[in-house]
Amino acid sequence: MKLTLKIWRQKNAQDKGKMVDYQLDNVSPDMSFLEMLDVLNQDLIDKGESPIAFDHDCREGICGTCSLFINGRAHGPQTQITACQLHMRSFNDGDTIYIEPWRAKAFPVVKDLIVDRSSFDRIQQAGGFISVNTSGNTQDANAIPIEKEHADKAFDAATCIGCGACVASCKNSSAMLFVSAKVSQFALLPQGQVEATDRVLNMVKQMDEEGFGNCTNTGACEVECPKGISLENIARMNREYLKASLKG
Ligand code: SF4
Ligand code: FES
């Protein structure tokens, strides 16, 4: 395959940045999208040019670092996969592919396609931890009965990999899907009840302080989420928030 790549290049957070064109020949349809970028980077290094900075770690859809906006969609044209799970067979010979970083005030560009998502870390830290007594006789996990429906929904929420695609695809740059997944994974379980009030209030406060926008129920986040996190979690977080506010 021959491809024209239009890639966002930006030296640092202060640089204005611009799209730069690259031509790539001999791309195998079996290559992953990130392998295609590796080939391009090797070409650039061979020519003495600066390689394109992009985030990646696991390359298996687990870590959530491969934050690429491809042809105007977070993680590219396929649904429920991350950019690292995308293969070049999803494109055609002669295609032009636009590759950009996540765009959101709370995710400033570090370099080229890499953005700083430490705002997500701070939101998670604001949520704290669950109180579990691990000294002495640790309780057997199976001793606490949990309804299957709640266990399944908590597990589904816990599959959020913190990639930020929900923010990048939201016209308001809202982080509600991410935060609601993190709230829900505990709110649905008995172990999460002790700190439930502080958790939701602190996480929402931190989310607002980080500069994420509000949710206007457009649903773009759910469509582009690689893990299929449901909007139902946002409704649950709103209920948890209301409950906690009334208690406070
Ligand atoms: S909710 Fe989905 S899109 Fe948002 S951070 Fe989690 S996995 Fe990524
Ligand atoms: S590199 Fe880990 S999810 Fe893509």
Side-chain angles (χ1 to χ4, degrees), residues 120 160-166 177-178 225-227 229:
F120 267 15
C160 164
I161 52 174
C163 65
C166 44
L177 195 66
F178 163 75
C225 172
K227 298 296 163 185
I229 301 293

Side-chain angles (χ1 to χ4, degrees), residues 191-244:
Q191 294 92 333
Q193 300 312 308
V194 186
E195 291 90 359
T197 303
D198 286 348
R199 180 181 308 113
V200 69
L201 293 177
N202 290 339
M203 289 182 92
V204 169
K205 182 168 174 278
Q206 190 66 36
M207 173 181 80
D208 291 342
E209 282 174 14
E210 297 290 349
F212 291 103
N214 215 337
C215 171
T216 50
N217 290 314
T218 58
C221 54
E222 185 186 58
V223 173
E224 299 294 24
C225 172
K227 298 296 163 185
I229 301 293
S230 161
L231 284 179
E232 190 185 298
N233 290 294
I234 297 184
R236 182 176 302 104
M237 180 172 78
N238 286 338
R239 288 196 298 275
E240 289 291 315
Y241 188 81
L242 187 64
K243 239 178 10 188

Side-chain angles (χ1 to χ4, degrees), residues 128-153:
F129 42 84
I130 58 165
S131 294
V132 176
N133 186 2
T134 52
S135 62
N137 294 328
T138 311
Q139 193 173 15
D140 184 345
N142 296 330
I144 306 171
I146 298 169
E147 274 182 48
K148 169 101 172 75
E149 193 194 339
H150 286 177
D152 286 349
K153 286 186 171 170

Side-chain angles (χ1 to χ4, degrees), residues 68-70 72-78 81 83 102 164-166 168-169 224-226:
L68 298 177
F69 220 69
I70 302 164
R73 292 191 61 184
H75 293 301
Q78 307 289 350
I81 59 165
W102 286 172
C166 44
S169 37
E224 299 294 24
C225 172

Side-chain angles (χ1 to χ4, degrees), residues 4-151:
T4 300
L5 303 171
K6 290 182 179 285
I7 304 182
W8 184 257
R9 301 299 313 254
Q10 184 173 344
K11 287 195 183 80
N12 51 46
Q14 287 71 44
D15 184 25
K16 218 169 137 214
K18 59 175 193 251
M19 298 299 280
V20 177
D21 290 7
Y22 299 95
Q23 300 295 328
L24 209 50
D25 297 341
N26 296 326
V27 174
S28 159
D30 296 327
M31 275 180 191
S32 75
F33 199 83
L34 300 191
E35 282 167 347
M36 181 275 294
L37 288 178
D38 290 338
V39 170
L40 173 62
N41 272 349
Q42 193 56 54
D43 279 359
L44 292 174
I45 291 165
D46 291 347
K47 283 193 270 181
E49 293 177 31
S50 156
I52 293 143
F54 62 96
D55 247 342
H56 59 99
D57 188 2
C58 70
R59 298 198 177 204
E60 291 180 355
I62 300 167
C63 71
T65 56
C66 54
S67 46
L68 298 177
F69 220 69
I70 302 164
N71 285 346
R73 292 191 61 184
H75 293 301
Q78 307 289 350
T79 52
Q80 304 226 347
I81 59 165
T82 52
C84 62
Q85 295 173 299
L86 180 64
H87 284 79
M88 297 316 294
R89 52 182 167 269
S90 297
F91 301 89
N92 297 313
D93 186 28
D95 271 0
T96 297
I97 306 176
Y98 290 78
I99 311 170
E100 297 168 80
W102 286 172
R103 297 201 187 275
K105 191 173 127 202
F107 290 161
V109 171
V110 176
K111 187 175 181 192
D112 297 338
L113 302 171
I114 297 181
V115 297
D116 178 357
R117 281 170 295 169
S118 55
S119 47
F120 267 15
D121 297 337
R122 289 187 290 275
I123 293 172
Q124 293 220 73
Q125 283 158 8
F129 42 84
I130 58 165
S131 294
V132 176
N133 186 2
T134 52
S135 62
N137 294 328
T138 311
Q139 193 173 15
D140 184 345
N142 296 330
I144 306 171
I146 298 169
E147 274 182 48
K148 169 101 172 75
E149 193 194 339
H150 286 177

